[in-house]
Amino acid sequence: MTALFRYHAAMLLRSRRWLPPLLLYGIFLAIGVQGGEPVLDSLGVAAAALLPVTAWLVRICVTQEPDAARAVTAAASGMPRAHLAALLAASACAGALGVAGTVIVTAVSERRSADGLVDVAPLPAGAAGLLVALVCLLTGAAVGALCSRPLLRGRGWSLASTALLALLALVTTGSPAKAAVSGLVTGSRTGVIHTPGLPLAAAVLVAAVVAGAVCVLGTRRG
């Protein structure tokens, strides 16, 4: 699995197809995060921006191999392992972006509540921001896995469904990502840092189920 992970990660880095998602993440942060804004609000924006970026990176990773190369990789290691390695490579790349974004946002934001009356400790706030970013990453990875091969092969349908499902994951009640981001934003009003324990558990479960399902379907559908 380690060799497969390195293979997909190296392919992603060499292709430079990660540049558009990186630019998208940077644009989200530039527009949604301003220096001096409450730290918890800003961390919520940064985490939410990671969801569509992760979905995009997953779609890139699982489609970057030519069909012939994919067949060779699957024959050598098995389709489930090959597909899982692509998902993990994309998630690792998104995780690096999430960590960097969280650190930057924590450093430039005002360490107070939204009303400016309560001090917010930067380290606990940053830790909570990282956990919320992880929830959004896992949710985004599930979205990307559902909207690319082996489930969807057409480029147009895949792109449209990825954008739509990523948006729904951010605004739909019951979504782990929405619950985690809402916890940060709500806590910002009073300066209380909420740890997204339940949303994180739900996101792990959703991501694991989706990853397992698409890896099995990859074996059946090729």
Side-chain angles (χ1 to χ4, degrees):
M1 181 60 74
T2 301
L4 286 170
F5 173 84
R6 290 177 178 174
Y7 166 68
H8 283 285
M11 190 184 309
L12 175 64
L13 293 176
R14 286 198 303 267
S15 71
R16 294 184 176 85
R17 295 176 67 188
W18 49 269
L19 277 173
L22 173 62
L23 291 174
L24 178 63
Y25 188 59
I27 291 171
F28 277 141
L29 293 188
I31 295 175
V33 177
Q34 303 294 327
E37 292 293 319
V39 62
L40 295 178
D41 284 334
S42 297
L43 286 171
V45 172
L50 193 62
L51 194 156
V53 170
T54 303
W56 193 352
L57 285 168
V58 166
R59 187 188 176 282
I60 290 172
C61 268
V62 300
T63 59
Q64 64 184 344
E65 273 187 299
D67 289 341
R70 180 176 171 85
V72 171
T73 305
S77 59
M79 181 62 74
R81 287 168 58 86
H83 200 80
L84 179 60
L87 298 178
L88 292 175
S91 299
C93 183
L97 289 180
V99 171
T102 300
V103 171
I104 293 171
V105 168
T106 304
V108 304
S109 299
E110 180 69 23
R111 297 164 186 177
R112 289 184 178 273
S113 59
D115 57 13
L117 299 178
V118 180
D119 290 334
V120 177
L123 289 181
L130 284 175
L131 290 176
V132 175
L134 179 59
V135 173
C136 291
L137 184 153
L138 292 169
T139 307
V143 169
L146 288 172
C147 297
S148 53
R149 68 182 184 188
L151 294 181
L152 293 178
R153 297 179 181 272
R155 179 181 177 85
W157 282 109
S158 178
L159 289 172
S161 59
T162 299
L164 177 60
L165 196 56
L167 176 61
L168 291 176
L170 286 172
V171 301
T172 303
T173 300
S175 164
K178 183 179 186 299
V181 172
S182 296
L184 275 183
V185 174
T186 301
S188 179
R189 300 172 187 170
T190 57
V192 176
I193 300 173
H194 294 286
T195 302
L198 187 58
L200 179 57
V204 170
L205 178 61
V206 169
V209 170
V210 171
V214 297
C215 288
V216 171
L217 285 174
T219 302
R220 296 180 177 180
R221 302 183 64 175

